[in-house]
Each structure stands twice: as structure tokens, then as C-alpha cells.
Amino acid sequence: LLGTRPTGSTVKPLVYAAAIAAGLQPGSLIDDAPLKPNEIEAADPGWNPRNSDGKFLGPTPLITGLVESRNSMTIRIGNYAGLDRVLQLLREAGFSSKTPRSPQIYIGNVSASPAQVTSAFSLFPNQGASRHGHFIERILDKNGNEIYHAEPQSLPVLSAGVTHILRRLLSQVIESGTAAAVRKEYGFLEPGGGKTGTT
């Protein structure tokens, strides 16, 4: 549970949240095209990740970038938010402060434990407050008296408005995006949202 793993695209909702907090909207057009040399702050000039389908869509609404997990769009969205803003959000959401300062984090070149990812995703249903889980909720003595109770930790990180938009976007990921199998193949019918990450 404590070991870290590469997050892959699972980190993308936090990149989008940082950009929406900086002013982008779900309908903002973002260019889904190959990156140009020196276009992305702090990136190697030759860095040019592709989309998983090998295609580029041209100017496309931001919502499509997250729902279809478009790498080139996500990198541009992260660049709009700024590397420092994205790193700050990752730290406030519960990721390690040792996350490298590289634009590669926009598309998931960052490691986190399952507990850290869970804490980060708790922002979206909790109006922007990060909830940190507990390994031990309470301890009782042999007579049933409570001698320890974990106090819930809730830290405000994002505005309710930003998280409302992200909930809408994440719900589309399971309705028609990269996680549509949750509904179509596995029969999950409850309200929800999510994000895939191939690594």
C-alpha cells in the first residue's frame, strides 16, 4: 500500500484542475498537434510525446483532452497552468514533495502510492478539500472504551467551482471516454467519475 508506482495518465485530472483554476474552461480550444521545439517550458526541445491512437485532432475542446486522454493537449494544458502551479497542486493534493520539476509530469511521469492517489482524487467529490485516509480509525480497550479515534483531516486545496467542473469531466470519462468499459462491460450504474492510467 505504501510503495509508489508510476501514475501515468491517472495524474491528468490534477493537471486539468490546475489549468481550470488558472482560467481555462471545458470548451476552451486546445491544439492537439505535435509539439513544436521550445514550445513547452523546461522541456527538452526534442520531447514530442504522441497520442495513444497515433493521431492528432487539431484545435479541440479541453473536455476532449481529458475524456480521451490526449497527451499533446494535456501537455499544452499543463504548460498553460505552469509547472510551478501544477507541482504545488500535486503537493497540496498529497503527492510527494520530491516530485521532479519536469513537464513530463503532465502526462504521468510521476510516482505515487495508492494512498496518495486516493487522497488526491478525494478533492473532486469533497468540494476541493483533500481527505487523508487512516490505517487505524479507532482503538478500543478490553472493556470497549475508545482510547484512540483518528480525527478526519480535511485540507482545502481547490475551489468548489473548479471541482464541480472536474466532476463533470470525470463523469464523461466513464460515460464515453477511456473508462467507458466501467459502464458498458462491468455494469457500474451509480453516479461516478474516474480516470484511466495505463502504467
Side-chain angles (χ1 to χ4, degrees), residues 86-162:
V86 172
L87 284 167
Q88 179 180 348
L89 177 56
L90 290 176
R91 284 192 295 270
E92 290 175 354
F95 280 58
S96 170
S97 59
K98 296 177 182 175
T99 300
R101 191 179 189 283
S102 164
Q104 293 181 8
I105 65 170
Y106 301 150
I107 56 173
N109 190 9
V110 57
S111 294
S113 69
Q116 289 169 327
V117 173
T118 302
S119 176
F121 269 71
S122 74
L123 294 170
F124 305 123
N126 289 304
Q127 307 300 316
S130 178
R131 303 284 176 94
H132 298 281
H134 303 284
F135 289 107
I136 299 173
E137 183 177 347
R138 64 186 178 143
I139 299 173
L140 306 176
D141 66 16
K142 65 181 180 180
N143 298 318
N145 300 311
E146 188 174 80
I147 57 176
Y148 171 79
H149 182 84
E151 291 296 323
Q153 297 178 1
S154 181
L155 305 169
V157 176
L158 288 169
S159 73
V162 169

Side-chain angles (χ1 to χ4, degrees), residues 5-51:
R5 299 160 179 81
T7 60
S9 294
T10 305
V11 80
K12 288 179 181 177
L14 296 168
V15 176
Y16 281 71
I20 289 168
L24 287 181
Q25 295 296 317
S28 297
L29 291 178
I30 309 297
D31 196 10
D32 183 29
L35 301 177
K36 300 175 187 73
N38 302 314
E39 177 185 358
I40 306 301
E41 177 196 353
D44 183 290
W47 184 56
N48 195 11
R50 304 290 179 187
N51 293 313

